[in-house]
Amino acid sequence: MAALLYRLARFSFRSRRLVTAVWAAVLIVLGLGAVILSGRMTNDVTIPGTESQQAIDHLKERFPQASVGGATARVAIEAPAGQKLTDPANKANLERLVNTLETAPKVRMVTDPFQTGTVSPDGRVALAQVSYAVQAAELTEADRAGLTAPAVTARHAGLTVEVGGDAIQGMPEVGGTEGIGVIIAAIVLTVTFGSLIAAGLPLLTALIGVGVGMAGIMTVSRFIELNSNTPILALMLGLAVGIDYALFIVSRYRHELNEGYEPEEAAARSVGTAGSAVVFAGLTVIIALVGLTVVGIPFLGQMGIAAAATVAVAVLIALTLLPAVLGFAGPKVLGKHAKKQAKTTNGERWARFVARHRIPVVLAGVAGLLIVAIPALSMQLGLPNDATAAPDSTQRKAYDIVTEGLGPGVNGPLIVVISDATPESTTAANNRISRLTDVAAVTPPQFNAQGDTAMFTVIPKSGPSSEQTEKLVGDIRAHAGGTQLAVTGQTALQIDISEKLADAMVPYLVFIVGLAFLLLMLVFRSLIVPLKATLGFLGSVIATFGAVVAVFQWGWLNDLLGVKSTAPIMSMLPILLIGVLFGLAMDYQVFLVTRMREEHVHGAQAQQAMVTGFRHGSRVVVAAALIMISVFAGFVLSDTTLIQSIGFALAFGVAVDAFVVRMTIVPAVMSLLGAKAWWLPRWLDRVLPNVDVEGEKVTKRPAEKELATV
């Protein structure tokens, strides 16, 4: 592989104008495609095959007038202090509000609280339900204005009116705050290289890669309905790995220039050696992301494929466009005051310190990971609802008004569907369910026109995110009594999705760890190093889970981080974190340990190879980690809880994995194992192909070593 990449880089360097023009054309074409073809994205989270989704599909087919599956809005109305909604003026204003909502665009039905009985016993709070003929993703801003404008009018009349439900939610957007990470990355690169040109190259190529990836995603959205978080995940990863991969190659290029090679030879050698590590680092990330397709959750699979495609673009740009750009920059990347690296660096001092105290260092590192992981034992999973919205949002205010006036269960009603309905069996099921613990009320059943499908609503005593409501869903399903009974509705759907995601976590972990273990065994030609890398990753993951629970579920440091509310952890976050963090963790493993192996293959003793490899790789890994942390941390400033939690989890996970696991535990374990770290059975050594990640064929080639003009 090294020889192939060497030739590719030399071609890109010599044909830099052509290569640059090709990438520019790709960016322009996809950019135009994104502008012209960009399609609709959705907030809907559905998993085919779950009981709640099957019930929704059945109702759409057999009971369409029930309006199940479309967007919904929950309009909470509260009377002025000391008054009741039954007072003539307030009642007239409420009825006017309901009548106006009925004429709003795409609205199919609005319930009158006085007719449905959704008025609090003291007459101060009422709830009107708005059902739409389309899903939330199909609502435009004008449609939402038709929902919020009547609420504003009712407020002017003296009522307190707040609106919740998925109909009011817009698409998550990437704000300007995420650019803070890019600014910090620029500062880190400038400090690392001491050259504005060298610092600018990784940023330039990364932004081009992200532009290509994002434009491609937006173009594809015309033909495939994508989840609205898909481009955000791709942006996070594409920007982070794009900078890191270019950083690794540019750093090696500067090293080769300092060794006296001409720019063309230095670029070719850099891509032949560091580029090989980039390829395998990228492959681990891609494997982890594409692996999301095997868990049977469509929206996660879409997010994984889109992000994997963006990472693949980042790898291709690092191998082709970057050497082309280096052809334009030449030796200028060294800067005016470029100096060779000092004989003894801080990285080397740290490696020798770790080697001298390897056992205490390993014990302290592992103990620290386990302590931070303790909160993960109480992790609760769920999906976002109005209870997790910002306290000052209309969704959260509506939730709180309903909870106080009508009870928390009214915010999360359960819909029971009987598909082989008869009046007798439906009444019996209704009576059985009404006697269950945590049931506040059960509505009379409704039948479809054919009389073979019935549905009724169950109001729990507990809120939609509570463990009691989750248990109630299971109890209702267990009391089917021989009927074809299913529980659905937004609350049941979220419970089913969370359970499906939790069940998929272990198989997914086994899948990506198994594939990546084989890949790392091929890279390092060792059984011990891949095993050590995997165990280190597991330590990083459990520690990150602990930190996420402490912040987003327990509320620690909420004010400092700008997290506006605590709630169960997003059910998609753990499996998403496993996939993304695994890929990124293996990046650092490959960047750091391939240099150790390179030194070992070229004749250095195991201990010296560890120290020398760490000396060369640590500065780049530290800079790469700081850049990734900065990019991900910028997303913590988002207004969307899911994006906040993903950004925090990835930033914290990268920090722990880079500085605790890869920079501390890994060199300590490598020192402890010595030459045994590179053990591989002879029969397996003969079977495995030699991919030459160390660039042995490149570094031994009889290249001219004329001093570059610096």
Side-chain angles (χ1 to χ4, degrees), residues 64-280:
Q65 59 269 34
S67 300
V68 176
T72 59
R74 303 164 57 76
V75 183
I77 307 107
E78 186 175 18
Q83 300 181 26
K84 296 182 179 182
L85 292 173
T86 53
D87 295 343
N90 292 331
K91 185 175 183 180
N93 288 329
L94 190 153
E95 290 176 345
R96 190 177 300 111
L97 170 64
V98 171
N99 293 335
T100 306
L101 289 172
E102 288 177 341
T103 63
K106 300 185 177 69
V107 168
R108 173 175 284 177
M109 181 178 64
V110 180
T111 62
D112 187 325
F114 293 113
Q115 295 180 7
T116 58
T118 52
V119 180
S120 63
D122 61 6
R124 294 200 65 248
V125 174
L127 176 66
Q129 299 267 21
V130 182
S131 300
Y132 283 82
V134 298
Q135 294 183 341
E138 299 177 58
L139 296 177
T140 64
E141 289 304 318
D143 297 332
R144 294 190 181 92
L147 175 64
T148 56
V152 173
T153 302
R155 289 182 194 134
H156 291 160
L159 299 177
T160 298
V161 181
E162 303 294 346
V163 184
D166 61 351
I168 198 68
Q169 297 175 3
M171 296 293 125
E173 296 179 355
V174 179
T177 54
E178 288 79 1
I180 294 174
V182 177
I183 295 173
I184 297 176
I187 295 172
V188 172
L189 288 168
T190 303
V191 172
T192 301
F193 289 135
S195 164
L196 290 176
I197 294 178
L201 292 183
L203 285 175
L204 173 64
T205 55
L207 290 173
I208 292 173
V210 166
V212 170
M214 295 290 287
I217 291 170
M218 300 308 295
T219 302
V220 170
S221 69
R222 174 76 176 206
F223 310 100
I224 301 174
E225 186 177 82
L226 300 177
N227 185 274
S228 56
N229 291 301
T230 299
I232 296 175
L233 179 64
L235 173 61
M236 280 186 188
L237 291 179
L239 191 59
V241 302
I243 294 174
D244 278 6
Y245 295 165
L247 164 66
F248 195 49
I249 292 175
V250 170
S251 178
R252 187 60 181 256
Y253 174 72
R254 285 161 56 92
H255 170 78
E256 299 294 343
L257 286 178
N258 277 323
E259 290 294 311
Y261 289 102
E262 290 288 345
E264 182 179 327
E265 179 66 19
R269 285 174 169 253
S270 300
V271 175
T273 52
S276 298
V278 165
V279 169
F280 281 95

Side-chain angles (χ1 to χ4, degrees), residues 394-440:
T394 186
Q395 296 99 312
R396 178 62 179 273
K397 290 177 181 178
Y399 182 93
D400 292 340
I401 289 172
V402 171
T403 298
E404 182 180 352
L406 298 169
V410 177
N411 284 302
L414 306 174
I415 299 174
V416 176
V417 181
I418 301 177
S419 56
D420 58 346
T422 64
E424 295 77 14
S425 64
T426 302
T427 300
N430 191 295
N431 292 336
R432 285 194 305 272
I433 292 171
S434 64
R435 291 191 293 268
L436 293 176
T437 305
D438 203 50
V439 172

Side-chain angles (χ1 to χ4, degrees), residues 53 182 200 231 238 281 294 306 310 318 419 453 465 475 551 579 592 595 619 668:
Q53 186 61 48
V182 177
V294 306
T310 307
S419 56
T453 297
S465 300
D475 290 344
V551 172
L592 196 62
R595 195 61 190 264
R619 184 177 178 85

Side-chain angles (χ1 to χ4, degrees), residues 19 30 61 69 82 88 127 163 204 213 243 303 320 347 373 414 442 460 486 498 533 547 581 591 623 631 663 682 687:
V19 172
L30 288 178
E61 178 184 353
L127 176 66
V163 184
L204 173 64
I243 294 174
M303 294 172 69
T320 57
L414 306 174
V442 180
S498 296
L581 186 58
F591 288 170
V631 171
M663 299 290 289
R682 290 184 179 178
V687 172

